[in-house]
């Protein structure tokens, strides 16, 4: 429903939120995210998806101003999210999922390197640059934590698996990036 409203009334919504005062823009957009997130939660849908759709609904100058104003908060809340996720992981659960995490990590590292190599090649980058582009993608596994956080209610093993996966890629990624130089 939010997506339909965004498509049909996105410009009007953006004009409604636009204001000269940065504080009003920040509070209005943040309030809209909280409102839609609360409604989504009430409907037993992911609040994160609701917030994502609010971001899609805003366009033009309000989107530019919102990005500028909310970027520092994004970093703070992302760090808080990962800290909270870390608090929920019992380190004793990691060894039991480490073998699976390494297997998934190696598979995803291979596909990330291949994807980066292919994409950089399409952009006309030389072979060495393509390898560096692919290697740079390896450490990107943070979204796994978000997915694990959402799915942990269904399958409790997702949290330690995602944590082990991200830890493995956090070690493997920089090693591969150095080898690519």
């Amino acid at each position: 429903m939010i997506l339909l409203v965004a498509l049909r009334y996105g410009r009007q919504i953006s004009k409604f939120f636009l204001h000269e005062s940065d504080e009003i823009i920040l509070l209005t957009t943040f309030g809209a995210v909280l409102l839609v997130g609360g409604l989504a939660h009430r409907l037993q849908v992911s609040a994160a998806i609701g917030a994502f759709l609010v971001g899609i609904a805003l366009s033009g100058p309000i989107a530019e101003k919102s990005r500028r104003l909310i970027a520092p908060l994004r970093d703070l809340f992302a760090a808080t999210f990962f800290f909270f996720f870390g608090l929920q992981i019992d380190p004793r659960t990691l060894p039991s999922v480490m073998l699976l995490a390494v297997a998934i990590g190696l598979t995803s590292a291979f596909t990330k390197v291949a994807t980066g190599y292919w994409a950089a090649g399409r952009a006309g980058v030389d072979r060495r640059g393509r390898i560096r582009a692919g290697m740079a993608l390896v450490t990107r596994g943070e979204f796994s934590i978000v997915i694990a956080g959402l799915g942990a209610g269904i399958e409790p093993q997702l949290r330690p698996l995602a944590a082990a996966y991200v830890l493995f890629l956090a070690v493997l990624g920089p090693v591969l990036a150095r080898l690519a130089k």
Side-chain angles (χ1 to χ4, degrees):
M1 189 159 115
I2 292 172
L3 187 55
L4 292 174
V5 169
L7 290 172
R8 176 162 259 162
Y9 303 106
R11 287 192 179 117
Q12 292 87 343
I13 292 170
S14 294
K15 284 180 185 178
F16 173 76
F17 282 93
L18 192 59
H19 195 274
E20 291 179 19
S21 169
D22 286 351
E23 290 82 9
I24 290 177
I25 290 174
L26 181 64
L27 292 173
T28 306
T29 55
F30 197 56
V33 167
L34 290 174
L35 176 67
V36 171
L39 289 172
H41 184 73
R42 181 75 171 169
L43 297 171
Q44 298 180 345
V45 179
S46 169
I49 299 300
F52 173 72
L53 292 173
V54 171
I56 289 175
L58 298 179
S59 62
I62 187 65
E64 294 297 323
K65 283 189 169 188
S66 294
R67 268 194 292 275
R68 180 179 53 82
L69 293 169
I70 294 178
L73 293 175
R74 175 201 63 202
D75 298 339
L76 171 66
F77 291 145
T80 303
F81 174 82
F82 289 112
F83 172 73
F84 184 74
F85 186 80
L87 289 175
Q88 295 177 335
I89 302 298
D90 180 359
R92 294 174 292 188
T93 63
L94 295 179
S96 67
V97 295
M98 191 55 80
L99 187 60
L100 180 58
V102 169
I104 294 170
L106 290 174
T107 302
S108 68
F110 174 76
T111 58
K112 289 175 183 184
V113 170
T115 300
Y117 187 89
W118 176 80
R122 293 201 31 117
V125 177
D126 66 356
R127 185 177 187 280
R128 188 172 175 89
R130 288 187 219 170
I131 292 171
R132 279 196 314 270
M135 299 292 193
L137 293 176
V138 172
T139 57
R140 303 295 178 223
E142 297 87 355
F143 191 68
S144 302
I145 292 180
V146 175
I147 298 299
L150 296 174
I154 299 167
E155 177 54 53
Q157 283 291 84
L158 282 178
R159 272 197 187 112
L161 178 60
Y165 169 78
V166 171
L167 287 172
F168 174 68
L169 290 183
V171 172
L172 180 65
V175 170
L176 292 177
R178 286 184 190 184
L179 290 174
K181 289 182 180 184

